[in-house]
Amino acid sequence: MRALTVEPLKADSAEVRDVPDPEAGPGEMLVEGLALGVCGTDREIIAGEYGWAPPGRDRLVLGHESLGRVRSAPPDSGFARGDLVVGVVRRPDPEPCGACAHGEFDMCRNGGYTERGIKEIDGYGSELWTVETDYAVKLDPRLEHVGVLMEPATVVAKAWEQVEKVGARSWFEPRRVLVTGAGPIGLLAALLGVQRGLEVHLLDVATEGPKPEVVRALGARYHCDGIGDATANARPDIVIEATGVSGVVFEAMASTVPYGVVCLTGFSPVGRRISVDVGAANREIVLENDVVVGSVNANLSHYAAAADALAKADLGWLSRLITRRIPLERFAEARQARRDDIKVVLELA
Ligand code: BGC
């Protein structure tokens, strides 16, 4: 079968190669890959900046935003041939830390976790893949064309859960959320905000292309005049930051209303320095009981929440988030994000 493989930390080593078909072991099922989402992490791995090969090997099968159809599953596993499924990204460390031992591998404390397509285990970027039935989630069959958005939706479901847990430390009835960045994470965060009945504001730099219209179609407000203007208009109780751009991150932290919660989900490049007034930010955070919380990855409960959120969403709106579909062998076209891209998807079938 064909698989998208890469030698981690070696730039331009990504290649579609023929590799042996996988065989499902005990407790696993065999899945035909349908689609694979491409995100910033994949682009970093392809650029040689991130990623780990499985122990004893040079190459890793890339891909963590999966969607596939079950070819064969163990009897009584709850899965059957033809089911639409998504594989979970992270696995707990073999000698689990406390969080991993409690199923919260997204909160791993010792860094010993592994991740499909990212850290030490092959990903889902192949025509066939296997997955443990305990680490797969069945999707509503209506989601066939958009189910590849599931993994970013899990990241966002966790971010919302974090915001709500932080908010719950005192009286909390948020009304307005500002999401920074109208990529897939930002737009899905906005969707979950709308589903919660909040007034949703979205900030991006795009003034044309699909983003402004996609935001409006959700019933959210679009801002493109910078973070200062967006926070002044939105007066957000909650900020979900999905750009990783240092200036935006810092402004977001410094501009919530009292008891504000800022959830950071974007990965910033390191080494880009900006000059900021940390004292002023500290003062505001303390005097307002604000919280800044980082959030990465997702555990099984977030997969369940994301599957519900996608099933409730308008399918037409979700499909507008997928702006390019590229056959696997042309993966090189997905390496560069284009101006009008929201989510780029590789077709595996
Ligand atoms: C993935 C997460 C993963 C993180 C760090 C992100 O792109 O969505 O599942 O934990 O990268 O490797």
Side-chain angles (χ1 to χ4, degrees):
M1 65 159 186
R2 292 169 315 146
L4 176 53
T5 69
V6 65
E7 193 175 326
L9 305 184
K10 188 168 169 198
D12 304 318
S13 62
E15 250 176 46
V16 174
R17 289 196 173 175
D18 275 320
V19 300
D21 285 2
E23 276 173 36
E28 292 183 343
M29 54 189 176
L30 183 63
V31 179
E32 289 162 18
L34 293 175
L36 183 76
V38 178
C39 79
T41 301
D42 301 307
R43 292 188 174 119
E44 274 191 18
I45 296 173
I46 291 175
E49 293 163 6
Y50 193 64
W52 296 257
R57 281 178 31 197
D58 293 334
R59 296 186 81 82
L60 167 79
V61 175
L62 195 65
H64 61 279
E65 297 187 4
S66 63
L67 181 69
R69 195 173 288 294
V70 174
R71 183 181 278 186
S72 61
D76 304 323
S77 63
F79 293 93
R81 186 181 173 91
D83 283 347
L84 194 63
V85 288
V86 159
V88 173
V89 177
R90 194 175 278 197
R91 299 293 179 277
D93 46 1
E95 233 176 84
C97 69
C100 285
H102 287 84
E104 294 182 348
F105 45 79
D106 57 315
M107 295 291 199
C108 182
R109 301 302 151 84
N110 62 15
Y113 66 83
T114 52
E115 288 181 340
R116 298 259 333 224
I118 301 174
K119 188 169 184 270
E120 297 171 7
I121 22 179
D122 280 337
Y124 298 110
S126 48
E127 290 174 304
L128 289 171
W129 40 265
T130 55
V131 67
E132 310 89 307
T133 53
D134 291 346
Y135 286 93
V137 177
K138 206 188 296 186
L139 288 192
D140 186 325
R142 291 184 315 122
L143 294 173
E144 175 164 1
H145 297 291
V146 293
V148 70
L149 296 171
M150 174 75 171
E151 197 275 341
T154 68
V155 166
V156 154
K158 173 176 173 183
W160 272 106
E161 179 211 52
Q162 295 301 301
V163 166
E164 281 155 358
K165 285 192 166 173
V166 168
R169 75 202 195 282
S170 174
W171 172 82
F172 192 49
E173 273 179 19
R175 288 170 46 209
R176 290 177 299 271
V177 56
L178 171 65
V179 178
T180 52
I185 295 287
L187 288 166
L188 290 167
L191 168 71
L192 269 67
V194 169
Q195 289 182 342
R196 282 164 167 74
L198 299 177
E199 180 183 306
V200 178
H201 295 255
L202 227 138
L203 169 71
D204 198 273
V205 288
T207 52
E208 44 194 55
K211 290 179 180 178
E213 205 23 62
V214 167
V215 170
R216 282 184 210 114
L218 190 62
R221 298 188 204 175
Y222 190 75
H223 302 271
C224 54
D225 288 322
I227 179 74
D229 169 78
T231 50
N233 272 291
R235 289 172 294 112
D237 302 296
I238 299 166
V239 178
I240 299 192
E241 205 301 304
T243 68
V245 174
S246 314
V248 176
V249 171
F250 190 78
E251 274 295 316
M253 289 178 359
S255 52
T256 57
V257 299
Y259 202 71
V261 183
V262 177
C263 183
L264 305 179
T265 68
F267 304 157
S268 308
V270 287
R272 290 196 199 151
R273 288 165 189 248
I274 57 167
S275 170
V276 293
D277 187 343
V278 175
N282 173 75
R283 206 181 153 83
E284 157 151 339
I285 290 171
V286 172
L287 288 174
E288 294 189 345
N289 291 293
D290 294 338
V291 174
V292 178
V293 58
S295 181
V296 71
N297 195 255
N299 67 39
L300 291 170
S301 73
H302 308 122
Y303 276 77
D308 281 352
L310 292 187
K312 272 196 281 176
D314 180 82
L315 286 184
W317 185 82
L318 287 174
S319 66
R320 290 170 75 179
L321 305 194
I322 301 175
T323 44
R324 278 198 288 156
R325 293 182 191 265
I326 302 172
L328 177 63
E329 46 299 334
R330 287 179 18 215
F331 77 92
E333 292 171 32
R335 285 185 49 174
Q336 285 305 321
R338 292 191 192 154
R339 211 172 47 136
D340 285 352
D341 280 341
I342 298 178
K343 173 56 72 190
V344 178
V345 165
L346 297 177
E347 289 175 328
L348 301 173

